[in-house]
Amino acid sequence: MMGSTVLIVLGVFLAVIILMLVFSNIRIVPQARAFVIERLGVYKTTWNAGLHLKVPFIERVVKSVSLKEQVLDFPPQPVITKDNVTMQIDSVVFCKVFDPKLFCYGVENPMAGLQNLSATTLRSIIGDMELDATLTSREMINAKMQKVLDEATDAWGIKVTRVEIKNIQPPKEIEEVMTKQMRAERERRQTVLEAQAHQEAVVSRAEGDKRAKILAAEAERDAQISLAEGRAKSIQLVYQAEADGLEALKNANVSETVLKLKSIEALKNVADGRATKIFMPSDISNLVSALGVAGEVLGIGDATKIDHSEKPRQAPKADPCLSSETSAEGVRAAVTTQKISADLEHQSRSES
């Protein structure tokens, strides 16, 4: 009875120990991580995310590796350019582990190795470039560094996804020279821009003056053409009116008595003491000639001297179409029309 009890206790004890060993060797690998497993000191396998059971006392987890992309910000490194200028350049490397086994057994300290490799690669690339090219060729430097680092870290199980130059710090004296150079370049651009603006302003002003003169000449030409057309039209209308008047007089069948009366009225306008010759109708001329001969024989009559001065003209009537808002060309055209009308009227009186 006693022996059976002891056996039961031992069995329970062994079961508890076995359960404790089982539960203690259960491993749950989180997402984006990997466990490197060794069996008796030799690499056995790599556990990915999930539930795994480790053999107790034989297998062990050597290293837990993160599979996420990592950002490594390395401190500034002194580099020398091709033209012997020492600068401080710091870089940022983006990488991730693609093979946990190589990452665990490829190099003793992968991140320290990557940092040293980045520094030496950066010095090698900058050493083949001059200062100006270094400051303006960040994309090329980044691409070269990524290519070299990615090829070199393949044996370490690391994939370099991106490399960025964070900061380039040249010496103080170089910064001062660059500042002066930048200021001189900006002043040169300002001078060039001012000269170009002045040139464009002069050219635009000259073109504007040229265009204004052309427009003024065209306006003067159009005004002269319009004025000449107005004169021609005015003369045409005057003669047309006279022709229409004569035609109307012809069609009116005026009697001889009316014609004589009109002749006497015309004679009154002609005989104003200025004409040297006067043409009169035959019936009136006979009477006047007889009276004139008798007056000369008897020594009587008015011996008025002939006035050879120019016959005064009546002032032209004001044009009702003119106003204070009428342009100079309009006033000139109105004055010309009045002169033409006065000349035609004077000519008609002279001919009559």
Side-chain angles (χ1 to χ4, degrees), residues 281-322:
S282 59
D283 53 351
I284 299 177
S285 61
N286 294 330
L287 179 59
V288 174
S289 61
L291 293 175
V293 172
E296 290 179 0
V297 172
L298 298 176
I300 61 175
D302 186 9
T304 303
K305 296 182 179 180
I306 299 175
D307 188 1
H308 294 281
S309 63
E310 185 179 358
K311 182 178 180 180
R313 300 182 182 181
Q314 295 180 355
K317 298 180 180 179
D319 193 342
C321 297
L322 298 179

Coordinates of all heavy atoms in Angstrom, one line a residue, residues 281-322:
P281 N -29.5 145.2 -121.3 CA -30.4 144.9 -122.4 C -30.5 146.0 -123.4 O -30.3 147.2 -123.1 CB -31.7 144.6 -121.7 CG -31.4 144.3 -120.3 CD -30.2 145.1 -120.0
S282 N -30.8 145.7 -124.7 CA -30.8 146.7 -125.8 C -31.8 147.8 -125.5 O -31.5 148.9 -125.8 CB -31.1 145.9 -127.1 OG -32.4 145.3 -127.0
D283 N -33.0 147.5 -125.0 CA -34.0 148.6 -124.9 C -33.6 149.6 -123.8 O -33.9 150.8 -123.9 CB -35.4 147.9 -124.6 CG -35.3 147.0 -123.4 OD1 -34.1 146.7 -122.9 OD2 -36.3 146.5 -122.9
I284 N -33.0 149.1 -122.7 CA -32.5 150.0 -121.7 C -31.3 150.7 -122.1 O -31.1 151.9 -121.9 CB -32.3 149.3 -120.4 CG1 -33.6 148.6 -119.9 CG2 -31.8 150.2 -119.3 CD1 -33.5 147.8 -118.7
S285 N -30.4 150.1 -122.9 CA -29.1 150.7 -123.3 C -29.3 151.8 -124.2 O -28.6 152.8 -124.2 CB -28.2 149.6 -123.9 OG -28.8 149.1 -125.1
N286 N -30.4 151.8 -125.1 CA -30.6 152.9 -126.0 C -31.0 154.1 -125.3 O -30.5 155.2 -125.6 CB -31.7 152.5 -127.0 CG -31.3 151.3 -127.9 OD1 -30.1 151.2 -128.3 ND2 -32.2 150.5 -128.4
L287 N -31.9 154.0 -124.3 CA -32.3 155.1 -123.5 C -31.2 155.7 -122.7 O -31.0 156.9 -122.7 CB -33.5 154.7 -122.6 CG -34.1 155.8 -121.7 CD1 -34.6 157.0 -122.5 CD2 -35.2 155.3 -120.8
V288 N -30.4 154.9 -122.1 CA -29.3 155.4 -121.2 C -28.3 156.0 -122.1 O -27.7 157.0 -121.7 CB -28.7 154.2 -120.4 CG1 -27.5 154.6 -119.7 CG2 -29.8 153.7 -119.4
S289 N -28.0 155.5 -123.3 CA -27.0 156.1 -124.2 C -27.4 157.5 -124.6 O -26.6 158.4 -124.7 CB -26.7 155.2 -125.4 OG -27.9 155.0 -126.1
A290 N -28.7 157.6 -125.0 CA -29.1 159.0 -125.4 C -29.0 160.0 -124.3 O -28.6 161.1 -124.5 CB -30.6 158.8 -125.9
L291 N -29.4 159.6 -123.1 CA -29.3 160.5 -122.0 C -27.8 160.8 -121.6 O -27.5 161.9 -121.3 CB -30.0 159.9 -120.8 CG -31.5 159.7 -120.8 CD1 -32.1 159.0 -119.6 CD2 -32.2 161.1 -121.0
G292 N -27.0 159.9 -121.9 CA -25.6 160.1 -121.6 C -25.0 161.1 -122.5 O -24.2 162.0 -122.2
V293 N -25.3 161.0 -123.8 CA -24.8 161.9 -124.9 C -25.3 163.3 -124.6 O -24.5 164.3 -124.6 CB -25.2 161.5 -126.3 CG1 -24.8 162.5 -127.3 CG2 -24.5 160.1 -126.6
A294 N -26.6 163.5 -124.2 CA -27.1 164.8 -124.0 C -26.4 165.4 -122.7 O -26.2 166.6 -122.7 CB -28.6 164.7 -123.8
G295 N -26.2 164.6 -121.7 CA -25.5 165.1 -120.5 C -24.1 165.6 -120.8 O -23.7 166.6 -120.3
E296 N -23.4 164.9 -121.6 CA -22.0 165.3 -121.9 C -22.0 166.6 -122.8 O -21.1 167.5 -122.6 CB -21.3 164.2 -122.7 CG -21.0 163.0 -121.8 CD -20.3 161.9 -122.6 OE1 -20.1 162.1 -123.8 OE2 -20.0 160.8 -122.0
V297 N -23.0 166.8 -123.7 CA -23.0 168.0 -124.6 C -23.4 169.2 -123.7 O -22.8 170.3 -123.8 CB -24.1 167.8 -125.7 CG1 -24.3 169.1 -126.5 CG2 -23.5 166.7 -126.7
L298 N -24.4 169.0 -122.8 CA -24.8 170.1 -122.0 C -23.9 170.3 -120.8 O -24.1 171.3 -120.1 CB -26.2 169.9 -121.6 CG -27.3 169.8 -122.7 CD1 -28.6 169.5 -122.1 CD2 -27.3 171.2 -123.5
G299 N -23.0 169.4 -120.5 CA -22.1 169.6 -119.4 C -22.8 169.3 -118.1 O -22.4 169.8 -117.0
I300 N -23.8 168.5 -118.1 CA -24.5 168.2 -116.8 C -24.3 166.7 -116.5 O -24.0 165.9 -117.4 CB -26.0 168.6 -116.9 CG1 -26.7 167.9 -118.0 CG2 -26.1 170.1 -117.0 CD1 -28.2 168.1 -118.1
G301 N -24.7 166.3 -115.4 CA -24.6 164.9 -115.0 C -23.6 164.6 -113.9 O -22.8 165.5 -113.6
D302 N -23.6 163.5 -113.4 CA -22.7 163.1 -112.3 C -21.5 162.4 -112.8 O -21.6 161.3 -113.5 CB -23.5 162.1 -111.3 CG -22.7 161.8 -110.1 OD1 -21.6 162.5 -109.9 OD2 -23.1 160.9 -109.4
A303 N -20.3 163.0 -112.6 CA -19.1 162.4 -113.1 C -18.4 161.6 -112.0 O -17.4 162.1 -111.4 CB -18.2 163.5 -113.6
T304 N -19.0 160.5 -111.5 CA -18.5 159.7 -110.4 C -17.3 158.9 -110.9 O -17.4 158.2 -112.0 CB -19.6 158.8 -109.9 OG1 -20.7 159.6 -109.5 CG2 -19.1 158.0 -108.7
K305 N -16.2 159.0 -110.2 CA -15.1 158.2 -110.5 C -15.3 156.7 -110.3 O -16.0 156.3 -109.4 CB -13.9 158.6 -109.8 CG -13.5 160.1 -110.1 CD -12.2 160.4 -109.3 CE -11.8 161.9 -109.6 NZ -10.6 162.3 -108.8
I306 N -14.7 155.9 -111.1 CA -14.8 154.4 -111.0 C -14.0 153.9 -109.8 O -12.8 154.3 -109.7 CB -14.4 153.7 -112.3 CG1 -15.3 154.2 -113.4 CG2 -14.4 152.2 -112.1 CD1 -14.9 153.6 -114.8
D307 N -14.6 153.1 -108.9 CA -13.9 152.5 -107.8 C -13.3 151.2 -108.2 O -14.0 150.3 -108.5 CB -14.9 152.4 -106.6 CG -14.2 152.0 -105.3 OD1 -13.0 151.8 -105.4 OD2 -14.9 151.7 -104.3
H308 N -12.0 151.2 -108.2 CA -11.3 150.0 -108.6 C -11.0 149.1 -107.5 O -10.3 148.0 -107.7 CB -10.0 150.3 -109.4 CG -10.2 151.0 -110.7 ND1 -10.6 150.4 -111.8 CD2 -10.2 152.4 -111.0 CE1 -10.8 151.3 -112.8 NE2 -10.5 152.5 -112.3
S309 N -11.3 149.4 -106.3 CA -11.0 148.5 -105.1 C -11.9 147.3 -105.1 O -12.9 147.3 -105.8 CB -11.2 149.3 -103.8 OG -12.6 149.7 -103.7
E310 N -11.5 146.3 -104.4 CA -12.2 145.0 -104.4 C -13.5 145.2 -103.7 O -13.7 145.9 -102.7 CB -11.4 143.9 -103.6 CG -12.0 142.6 -103.7 CD -11.2 141.5 -103.0 OE1 -10.1 141.9 -102.5 OE2 -11.7 140.4 -102.9
K311 N -14.5 144.6 -104.3 CA -15.9 144.7 -103.7 C -15.9 144.0 -102.4 O -15.5 142.9 -102.3 CB -16.9 144.1 -104.7 CG -18.3 144.2 -104.3 CD -19.2 143.6 -105.3 CE -20.7 143.7 -104.8 NZ -21.6 143.1 -105.8
P312 N -16.5 144.7 -101.4 CA -16.5 144.0 -100.1 C -17.5 142.8 -100.1 O -18.5 142.8 -100.7 CB -17.0 145.1 -99.1 CG -17.7 146.0 -100.0 CD -17.0 146.0 -101.3
R313 N -17.1 141.8 -99.3 CA -17.9 140.6 -99.3 C -18.6 140.6 -97.9 O -18.1 141.0 -96.9 CB -17.0 139.4 -99.4 CG -16.3 139.3 -100.7 CD -15.5 138.0 -100.8 NE -14.8 137.9 -102.1 CZ -14.0 136.8 -102.4 NH1 -13.9 135.8 -101.6 NH2 -13.3 136.8 -103.5
Q314 N -19.7 140.0 -98.0 CA -20.5 139.9 -96.7 C -19.9 138.8 -95.9 O -19.3 137.8 -96.4 CB -21.9 139.5 -97.0 CG -22.7 140.6 -97.8 CD -24.1 140.1 -98.0 OE1 -24.5 139.0 -97.7 NE2 -24.9 141.1 -98.6
A315 N -19.9 139.0 -94.6 CA -19.3 138.0 -93.7 C -20.2 136.7 -93.7 O -21.4 136.8 -93.7 CB -19.3 138.6 -92.2
P316 N -19.5 135.6 -93.8 CA -20.3 134.3 -93.8 C -21.1 134.1 -92.6 O -20.7 134.5 -91.5 CB -19.2 133.2 -94.0 CG -18.0 133.8 -93.4 CD -18.1 135.3 -93.7
K317 N -22.2 133.5 -92.8 CA -23.1 133.2 -91.6 C -22.5 132.1 -90.8 O -21.8 131.2 -91.3 CB -24.5 132.8 -92.1 CG -25.2 133.9 -92.9 CD -26.6 133.4 -93.4 CE -27.3 134.5 -94.2 NZ -28.6 134.0 -94.6
A318 N -22.8 132.2 -89.5 CA -22.3 131.2 -88.6 C -23.0 129.8 -88.9 O -24.1 129.8 -89.1 CB -22.6 131.6 -87.1
D319 N -22.1 128.8 -88.8 CA -22.6 127.5 -89.1 C -23.3 126.9 -87.8 O -22.7 126.9 -86.7 CB -21.5 126.5 -89.4 CG -22.0 125.2 -90.0 OD1 -23.2 124.9 -89.8 OD2 -21.2 124.5 -90.7
P320 N -24.6 126.6 -87.9 CA -25.3 126.2 -86.7 C -24.9 124.8 -86.2 O -25.2 124.4 -85.1 CB -26.8 126.1 -87.1 CG -26.7 125.9 -88.6 CD -25.5 126.7 -89.1
C321 N -24.1 124.1 -87.0 CA -23.7 122.7 -86.6 C -22.5 122.8 -85.7 O -22.1 121.8 -85.1 CB -23.4 121.9 -87.8 SG -24.9 121.6 -88.8
L322 N -21.8 123.9 -85.7 CA -20.6 124.0 -84.9 C -20.9 124.3 -83.5 O -21.8 125.0 -83.1 CB -19.7 125.2 -85.5 CG -19.2 125.0 -86.9 CD1 -18.3 126.2 -87.3 CD2 -18.3 123.7 -87.0

